[in-house]
Amino acid sequence: MSDQLIIFDTTLRDGEQSPGASMTKDEKLRIARQLERLKVDVIEAGFAAASHGDFEAVKAIADAIRDSTVCSLARANDRDIARAAEALKGAARSRIHTFIATSELHMEKKLRMTREQVLEQAIQAVRFARNLTDDIEFSPEDGYRSDPEFLARVVEAVIREGARTINIPDTVGYAIPELYGQFIKTLRERVPNSDQAIWSVHCHNDLGMAVANSLAGVKIGGARQVECTINGLGERAGNCSLEEVVMAVKTRRDYFGLDVRVDPSQIVAASRMVSQTTGFVIQPNKAVVGANAFAHASGIHQDGVLKARDTYEIMRAEDVGWSANKIVLGKLSGRNAFKQRLQELGVELASEAEINAAFVRFKDLADRKAEIFDEDIIALVMDESVTQDQEHYRLVALAQRSETGERPQAQVVFAAGETEYRTESDGNGPVDAVLKAIESKVGSGAEMLLYSVSAITSGSTESQGEVTVRLQHAGRVVNGVGADPDIVVASAKAYLSALNKLQSKTERVAAQG
Ligand code: KIV
Ligand code: ZN
């Protein structure tokens, strides 16, 4: 058995299914480039048949990425598979990932199909895909809650049709590490042609065991591919976290005896980018990428680390990219330095006009903030790409007044296309006043589910504030993110960005519907 563990990243597909985490094509492309720098083996770029926007995003990623396999999800039907193949045409290496549910519950209640119908559809899907590509992955959805005997029949049949990777999802995060590992092991033993495929694990985190289950699938079950997402992004409690799995396998190579191609020094950059793009803030005590992951507050720990690092540290912060958090540009930096840094960060702005516009914003920021970090640049071009991509509403100016004992007042000017709107309101605080002023004009009727502020870089008050606003309206949940040294301005930008997302009419087919 190979001693190489394949890292399959599904941040842009399964991760994006998390309510509010939907991303634009440009945002996905930027993250895909970072995943390529991270050297993940496979990037699941999306679900091409879900919508026109999803198709375009998968296509853009397939056309741009050269060093990782690009994959699209497809339900087990000809139309989805043909759409996936079409979107992947430009890829250096491509994979079609097709799936159908195999648990009694899903077959009976969701698909309303018999076992024999599901088996036949799985066979037909892989046979059809085999004419379009030779890299096919098959997933029996809700595989872990499926009858092992039936599951073995399906898996044997699809391997015979040419599926090269067999992925066993714990779709609802029900598994326990030892049981999941045994499940994979027994299934592999039961399937006569199991050695003709690479086995893969895909675990959701509902009971907080996605990483442990995935690692058990590898160690006990013999899986050689792990499906995971940056920061564990994903629906409900999320997916298996890429950074945790990779660092567990690397740090405990003595136990796992496996190699991974991933370059860990790119982990923190990837984590930041995903968090800034989606507005899903990373908890400070999150393993590997949380702000406190390498902080030693207690005197005893600090003393130990100063004497010998490995007294309390099993990984080095710089190995996962923490030292990359450095001042990169400032007020005196020129356009060329800015452009080069954008390239190093994998940000591709479509035209010189876009670079110029981003540079103007950079200069404006540098006038107000002496030290500009990579995260500031990413936040700045994200604002820019929202403008290019889909922006309807744009902040022009705001003024607010708050004084002890007085009710805060705000005046806001924002634009929609060529039209400018002026509006004002009072509120419980300055942020409340600004958002109420905007809402009084827009009248979206959206419910605010979340408002959060964090410092983009250091914990210092000199950092830019990054605000996330989560809105819900007519069954849709969206996140808007805004950054500025002034958190009231950042809040207005975040609110307008969320309104813009609510207004973009992306109709999608649910991947697991
Ligand atoms: O969780 C799941 O079952 C999935 C499949 C589509 C692979 O995401
Ligand atoms: Zn999943």
Side-chain angles (χ1 to χ4, degrees), residues 135-244:
D135 189 349
I136 301 164
E137 171 168 333
F138 176 80
S139 289
E141 191 191 357
D142 206 19
Y144 180 63
R145 292 195 302 170
S146 302
D147 168 26
E149 189 267 329
F150 173 62
L151 187 56
R153 273 177 68 207
V154 174
V155 169
E156 182 188 352
V158 295
I159 295 177
R160 209 181 310 115
E161 291 300 331
R164 275 210 212 153
T165 303
I166 297 296
N167 178 47
I168 307 298
D170 176 22
T171 304
V172 291
Y174 182 67
I176 304 288
E178 203 182 335
L179 301 182
Y180 182 69
Q182 278 300 338
F183 187 82
I184 308 268
K185 182 172 186 286
T186 313
L187 191 60
R188 284 181 49 229
E189 286 163 359
R190 218 180 205 144
V191 172
N193 51 3
S194 66
D195 59 334
Q196 289 167 36
I198 291 169
W199 289 70
S200 167
V201 287
H202 177 114
C203 298
H204 283 262
N205 201 34
D206 298 66
L207 293 173
M209 288 187 280
V211 171
N213 288 336
S214 302
L215 291 172
V218 170
K219 184 70 182 175
I220 305 172
R224 286 295 175 266
Q225 174 176 285
V226 174
E227 303 202 350
C228 43
T229 61
I230 303 289
N231 301 337
L233 185 72
E235 258 178 308
R236 310 185 305 275
N239 282 60
C240 169
S241 141
L242 179 145
E243 56 280 5
E244 292 178 22

Side-chain angles (χ1 to χ4, degrees), residues 477-499:
V477 178
V478 296
N479 276 348
V481 183
D484 198 275
D486 179 336
I487 59 163
V488 183
V489 174
S491 304
K493 287 182 178 175
Y495 193 67
L496 291 170
S497 142
L499 290 176

Side-chain angles (χ1 to χ4, degrees), residues 275-295:
S275 166
Q276 281 187 282
T277 306
T278 57
F280 280 62
V281 176
I282 304 162
Q283 73 194 60
N285 58 329
K286 164 86 174 63
V288 186
V289 294
N292 290 353
F294 293 90

